[in-house]
């Protein structure tokens, strides 16, 4: 059974940084594409960043380009989201996700592309 556990969220001031982690278990971590999404109350869950199963390809939402960096450490079964220059509009619950099927070098941007989700971690950026 695939399990994803996010950590690293919290309260930070505008301009600060946080690093989110997503620890995976239950299967071979390196074989599947992954992504970070975020959601605010009453809104849809939107892509923040996504990474291919070998880490070679990434995709970012326009709103976070140049500020956030997605990465993965397959030896540790962990994916990261480094968030710099945080803004109040980055406040949301952040979720990590992975797929149930392999796709070499594929990067996926829709929630419907993903089959497994973590429980989410709250990020709050104060102005």
């Amino acid at each position: 059974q695939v399990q994803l556990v996010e950590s690293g969220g919290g309260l930070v001031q505008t301009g600060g940084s946080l690093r989110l982690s997503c620890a995976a278990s239950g299967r071979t971590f390196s074989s599947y594409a992954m992504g970070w999404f975020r959601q605010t109350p009453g809104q849809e869950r939107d892509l923040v960043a996504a990474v291919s199963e070998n880490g070679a390809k990434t995709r970012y939402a326009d709103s976070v380009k140049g500020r956030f960096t997605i990465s993965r450490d397959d030896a540790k079964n962990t994916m990261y989201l480094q968030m710099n220059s945080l803004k109040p509009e980055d406040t949301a619950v952040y979720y990590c996700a992975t797929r149930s099927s392999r796709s070499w070098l594929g990067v996926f941007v829709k929630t419907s592309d993903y089959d497994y989700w973590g429980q989410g971690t709250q990020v709050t950026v104060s102005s």
Side-chain angles (χ1 to χ4, degrees), residues 22-79:
C22 174
S25 62
R27 67 176 188 191
T28 303
F29 176 80
S30 61
S31 299
Y32 301 88
M34 299 191 72
W36 286 101
F37 290 75
R38 65 187 180 187
Q39 188 172 26
T40 56
Q43 302 298 315
E44 295 185 348
R45 192 171 295 185
D46 294 325
L47 176 78
V48 177
V51 61
S52 64
E53 65 180 60
N54 66 350
K57 290 189 174 182
T58 58
R59 184 84 59 87
Y60 295 92
D62 288 342
S63 59
V64 306
K65 283 181 181 177
R67 301 188 298 123
F68 291 11
T69 303
I70 189 172
S71 63
R72 58 190 299 162
D73 185 337
D74 292 343
K76 295 183 178 180
N77 287 357
T78 302
M79 177 178 66

